[in-house]
Amino acid sequence: MPVFFFSDIEGSTRKWEQYKEGMSKALIIHDEIIKRNIEVNGGKVIKHTGDGFFACFEQGKPIKCAIDIQKEIASIDWGEIGELRVRIALNAGYAEKRKDDYFGPVINRTARILSAAWGGQILLTPEVMNVCELPPDAKLKDLGRHMLKDLGEPQLIYCLLSPDQPLQEFPPIRSLTAYIHNLPVQTTPFLGREKELLEIEHLLQMPECRLLTIIGPGGIGKSRLALQAAADMIEIFPQGVFLISLAPLNSVQFLISAIADQIKFSFYSRHDPKEQLLNYLSEKKILLILDNFEHIIEGASIITEILKHAPQVKIIVTSREMLNLQGEWLHQVQGLEFPAGEKVDIGDFSAVQLFLHSARRIKTDFTPSGKEMGYIVRICQLVSGIPLGIELASSWLRILSLEEITKEIEKNLDFLTSKMRDLPERHHSMRAVFEYSWNLLNASEKELLARLSVFPRKFSRAAAEKIAGATLPLLTSLIDKSLLLRDSSGYYEIIGVLRQYAGEKLRTMPEVEQQTTNLFYEFYAEFVDRIKEDFQSAQDVSIVTEVKNELDNIRTAWSGIVEKGDEKLIEKSLMGIFLIYDSNGWLKEGAESLQRIIDRLGKKEKRVKHSKIIENPLMGKIYNKQATFLYQLGFYEDAIKLLNRSLEIARKYKNKEDIGACFNTLGNVLYMRSRFEESRKMYNNWLEIAKELNHDKQIAGAYNNLGVISYVLEEFDEAKELFEKSKMIAEKIGYKKGVAFANTNIALVLHATGNDKEAKKIFLEELNFDQEFGDKINVANTLNNLGLVHKALNEIDDAKEVFEQSLKIRQEIGDRMGIATSLINLGDVAFMQKRYKDALTLFSEWQKISQSLNDTSGEMKSYMNMGRVFIAAKDYESAKKNLFKAVQMILQNNYIEDLNDIMYLFADLLSVTGNETLALKLICFVLTHETKDKNLLNMAHELFNKLTEVLPATEVAAAQEEAKSAAAEKYIKHIATLFKEKITFRAGKQKKK
């Protein structure tokens, strides 16, 4: 069992204020003494806490360490600062270790024991003595059981005494036991909320803050937070800290007697009890905690009277509703922190920590797997971090798995219930918590809360007004009663499971539910239609921010519109929805939603003879957008079929804009299939239509796409000219995304022509732009491009980092061709770093994706790259097999542009397997046949020079002469004969015809 060590300097704040320079020097000596003694005695420093240390002793001598520190600290002359006193606490137990840190109740309790100690004192627990022996001459003084400021069960504490310690006598330790209070022992630890606790303590230390109302919904932890703040500040209230629980009261008339009872005041006459209480409090410096005030809110005036007659009294009120009194300060409590999405260090979140602690009370050996931690996160999300919800959910671990608990919460609010006898009745279930709050609302508030449940999460005031008929006073009233939250951006939100409860209430009002739902769909259809132009152009970042805030509502509304099959709303929403889904990389979700529309609307279409479907222009637009999602997901053939149908419909209705859109998307698909000339033809068709329609944005897009074709065909001058044209038009019309596309592509040309530093500068600028606008696909693409430049500049670690970032985004959004590209680049980096095993794994994954996409060019190149790795790894047999697979695919598919690459790789293989003569002929072929690939040329020249050093000049001259007129087929036959491989030259071409 590990022993945990905490230390700090007593009165360090005051000394820093008086002796800043002296303390700065002293702290260096202090730190060295403590760190050295910890390490010498077998401990490990976990963290430095400013003026103290947190250490762990898995073995070693923690007690001796503490004594040695006190002895050495006392022997130092600390100069002007005078005496330096260090206090030390030792505790033992099992804590959760994450990375190099420890967490959990044992750690928290050790810190609380330290806060009770005096300078020069060493406090420890019986658990320490169970695993450690006392040094000779040392002894323990039993200080008895003490209630610590963590409000847990009283702890038996010992004071360690040794002749080596200069101080032997100390005042009573500063535990809660030494102060006047009635604070109850808490059965659960105080987890998280450190920031909130500091804020409350800061407010209570301000003279002007005498009434602090902690507000929040039921089960959120208001009472626990108030109790902890009171315990931490108990020293400043010499006449006591008192909790007055108001939950049992059913009338305001009992409030005076309830306060008197808890502060142990007895009424001494028949005079007015309130007057007697006020007189008693008038000279007292105490803190009153009035817990659960909401149901007797009409009695709030008594608080005003207490504050008026007793100037040293401070009051904390916990309530679901603010009191609306003059001088009232507010602290709004929300749920414990929980991961919003997938996080690596999810254990750092207090909601997760509470779940783990609660679970281990039920199953002491509870150690969740990675998958199970995902369910814990989901549970914390579903209950919005509400402590009561977390504890109720964890209580089911006795009989259900985490997956089952998650599913039950998602479908049934009544699942969150408990039979624990020591819980207040209103906390036996989340439904009871919400029923309690619901019954405190008037009719208008009830209807509004129910109607607001149509929003899946956050919503704006404008949306609430239009959809739910919300007025500002009603919204404010629900906020005051802790049923709504309002964030710093002005958006409102109902906490998770309360929304589920409010939704149940809405379903009891069918007409209201139908009206509210329809208004919800109409509002967000109008919204996405309104913002589509600005969102596409990226002219105003505020539009992007607005869309981000509304994403959950947009997705929910779109899903409802799809299920309803409302053609009017589908048509109004389609373009805006497509742009939002595309920029966020929700390709699969977008494709699935459009497929549902196609299936639903297809059933409505009328049929004519020969069963041919008469499809309307809306269906044509849907096919086009669906095709875009599909080709980005790698389903090229399906995309082409849909685009042909879309083009047929557009031509039938003579809709030139839709015809142009089809040409553009067809061009994109053909480009992805490496059919560049066909793609160029489609883009030219699109350009002609865009010019005819005077559509500048589309003209800019067409020039950009044509430039991409020129770029991949290594026509760099033409490519740059086209990109510049696109940029000029985009700048003219304020099309910021168009400018960004053009700049990115210009940077690619710069990279291809060797100007990598300038290209890097542009990519970094465009990355900031893409990230600002939250365009995931473009962020991934720009990261990939930036990686290429890093690689060219030999910044290999930087290249690896951005390639990995790009891959992660592409995997999230399901961009299979993008994933393949990232795997290629990461494989190249691994090859450059001589991590051959990693490179083979990455290229193998690329090969599998290429096969699934029916991308023969990608598959062929994956074999070439694996061959290259095997040559470097000296596995020549495997290299041969992969290179022959590649060359066979080149011949079958007529990939003439790849002949130079495969010839170089064969030459490299032959040069290391003893056939330098044939290797030389192949290299001469590569150097004779033009290529714009500078990297390939450099490698070819390097191998040529290497071979000329070992071969006669006459042989070199003959090889060069032969290469001028020789065909590739001749050399491939030589290689095949040498390696005893069969090669088919014509089958592929004949099949293609």
Side-chain angles (χ1 to χ4, degrees), residues 414-454:
D414 288 321
F415 174 76
L416 290 172
T417 185
S418 172
K419 295 181 180 179
M420 288 185 284
R421 293 185 177 89
D422 58 348
L423 277 177
E425 188 172 341
R426 67 185 187 281
H427 283 180
H428 275 181
S429 71
M430 291 306 295
R431 179 175 296 282
V433 169
F434 298 144
E435 288 286 359
Y436 181 84
S437 294
W438 180 265
N439 291 332
L440 296 174
L441 302 179
N442 63 38
S444 297
E445 291 168 337
K446 287 177 179 178
E447 181 175 330
L448 176 58
L449 184 63
R451 294 182 71 176
L452 292 175
S453 68
V454 296

Side-chain angles (χ1 to χ4, degrees), residues 482-533:
S482 303
L483 297 172
L484 278 186
L485 300 175
R486 186 174 184 271
D487 64 22
S488 57
S489 64
Y491 275 76
Y492 299 83
E493 182 177 0
I494 307 178
I495 61 172
V497 280
L498 174 57
R499 178 181 166 272
Q500 194 179 124
Y501 173 84
E504 291 178 5
K505 295 295 185 183
L506 182 62
R507 286 190 288 277
T508 66
M509 303 178 274
E511 291 184 7
V512 174
E513 180 187 22
Q514 186 63 55
Q515 179 199 37
T516 308
T517 303
N518 288 339
L519 288 170
F520 180 76
Y521 295 160
E522 290 166 9
F523 181 89
Y524 283 102
E526 291 283 351
F527 176 86
V528 296
D529 184 54
R530 172 175 59 83
I531 57 88
K532 65 186 178 188
E533 289 297 327

